[in-house]
């Protein structure tokens, strides 16, 4: 599961990592939640021969995918995650898996280790050696009843590896830089051709740092939410946790 994440790299660092020409300036974001705008990258139009311009483009997407066939968004669940194991067959994600695969840049994500029936200890899960990571994303453009269109998206998840499983049984799918082009190529490659990329991150790729419960509240958006917190007792079992959301406008500011 991935219900909160952060993107604290600069626009230049993010553009270089994703292979984008450039990005508009945006501030560090320490507590990104569902329904908020998130940056994603998709394959762009093919460039002319001998061009040195990148063929990827950025998109600003509402985090929470809405399939095109939804009639009433108020009665439809918030799909901010998609289980990779069934995304190719599931009606909500099938078309996006075929036509609109994306990369979601992040500095890391948050997860909660449950204790009984209560939200437990939050952890900041980040690449052990620093830098950025790209989650596998899906994009769907939803046409609202009034005629306006809204780009929406979800992050694909997979069974957690041993580094994360003691906190939660799911984790985001990580796409390695050498696989960016394959994952984004929806013109030539079908979902079955990239199915091998939908796997847990390699062991020792991530490290989990316990942080304070300031991250629990979406309104807390400063770097202090990543300060090391107190680790509580081991829980008896792990349960899934729904993350909060708000109604932020489509802007990274």
């Amino acid at each position: 599961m991935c219900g909160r994440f952060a993107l604290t790299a600069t626009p230049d660092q993010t553009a270089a990592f994703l292979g984008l020409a450039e990005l508009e300036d945006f501030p560090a974001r320490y507590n990104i939640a569902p329904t908020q705008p998130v940056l994603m990258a998709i394959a762009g139009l093919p460039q002319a021969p001998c061009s040195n311009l990148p063929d990827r483009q950025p998109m600003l997407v509402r985090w929470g995918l809405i399939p095109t066939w939804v009639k009433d968004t108020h009665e439809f669940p918030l799909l901010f995650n998609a289980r990779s194991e069934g995304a190719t067959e599931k009606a909500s994600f099938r078309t996006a898996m075929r036509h609109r695969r994306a990369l979601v840049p992040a500095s890391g994500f948050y997860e909660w280790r449950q204790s009984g029936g209560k939200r437990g200890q939050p952890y900041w899960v980040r690449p052990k050696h620093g830098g950025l990571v790209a989650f596998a994303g899906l994009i769907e453009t939803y046409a609202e009843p009034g005629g306006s269109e809204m780009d929406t998206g979800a992050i694909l998840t997979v069974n957690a590896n041993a580094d994360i499983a003691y906190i939660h049984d799911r984790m985001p799918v990580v796409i390695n830089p050498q696989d960016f082009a394959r994952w984004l190529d929806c013109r030539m490659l079908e979902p079955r051709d990239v199915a091998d990329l939908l796997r847990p991150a390699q062991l020792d790729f991530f490290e989990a740092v316990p942080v304070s419960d300031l991250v629990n509240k979406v309104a807390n958006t400063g770097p202090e939410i990543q300060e090391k917190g107190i680790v509580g007792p081991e829980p008896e079992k792990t349960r899934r946790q729904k993350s909060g959301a708000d109604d932020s406008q489509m802007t990274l500011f």
Side-chain angles (χ1 to χ4, degrees):
M1 183 174 178
C2 178
R4 301 279 184 87
F5 71 99
L7 177 58
T8 59
T10 67
D12 287 345
Q13 291 169 333
T14 306
F17 175 70
L18 294 174
L20 300 171
E22 61 180 356
L23 288 170
E24 294 184 5
D25 193 27
F26 59 82
R29 301 178 67 196
Y30 290 90
N31 199 3
I32 302 171
T35 75
Q36 292 181 351
V38 298
L39 175 66
M40 295 193 183
I42 61 170
L45 296 175
Q47 296 295 327
C50 302
S51 172
N52 61 357
L53 294 176
D55 59 355
R56 295 171 194 161
Q57 64 185 55
M59 287 188 67
L60 196 59
V61 175
R62 172 196 181 265
W63 189 13
L65 187 143
I66 305 176
T68 57
W69 43 263
V70 171
K71 300 299 183 183
D72 186 353
T73 59
H74 297 291
E75 296 183 358
F76 193 75
L78 184 62
L79 302 178
F80 54 89
N81 284 168
R83 293 178 68 91
S84 60
E85 296 87 346
T88 302
E89 292 79 28
K90 193 172 178 61
S92 297
F93 308 117
R94 185 169 54 219
T95 302
M97 275 291 293
R98 178 63 185 88
H99 299 289
R100 287 173 289 277
R101 299 190 295 268
L103 297 171
V104 185
S107 301
F109 66 100
Y110 301 97
E111 195 52 83
W112 283 260
R113 191 187 68 191
Q114 300 303 299
S115 178
K118 301 178 181 179
R119 169 171 283 188
Q121 173 67 50
Y123 284 80
W124 166 233
V125 184
R126 63 190 180 191
K128 183 172 290 187
H129 300 294
L132 285 162
V133 63
F135 300 146
L138 300 175
I139 293 176
E140 191 68 85
T141 301
Y142 178 72
E144 298 179 294
S148 61
E149 293 186 341
M150 175 172 57
D151 295 318
T152 68
I155 293 174
L156 285 158
T157 67
V158 70
N159 286 329
N161 63 22
D163 293 333
I164 308 299
Y166 74 98
I167 302 173
H168 199 279
D169 62 347
R170 304 291 293 180
M171 69 187 302
V173 173
V174 173
I175 304 296
N176 295 318
Q178 64 268 26
D179 296 318
F180 284 2
R182 280 184 62 206
W183 175 251
L184 294 178
D185 187 357
C186 297
R187 288 187 290 269
M188 301 297 294
L189 301 180
E190 296 185 9
R192 65 173 178 265
D193 300 318
V194 295
D196 61 298
L197 302 180
L198 303 177
R199 58 181 184 265
Q202 292 183 345
L203 290 176
D204 294 327
F205 180 83
F206 284 116
E207 63 178 355
V209 181
V211 294
S212 78
D213 60 5
L214 288 173
V215 69
N216 294 358
K217 190 174 182 180
V218 177
N220 294 330
T221 59
E224 65 277 1
I225 68 174
Q226 292 181 355
E227 294 179 0
K228 192 168 184 179
I230 299 174
V231 180
E234 288 290 335
E236 294 182 1
K237 62 180 180 179
T238 300
R239 296 183 181 178
R240 297 178 68 92
Q241 172 65 42
K242 294 182 180 179
S243 296
D246 69 5
D247 298 317
S248 297
Q249 299 298 313
M250 288 294 285
T251 172
L252 289 178
F253 290 88

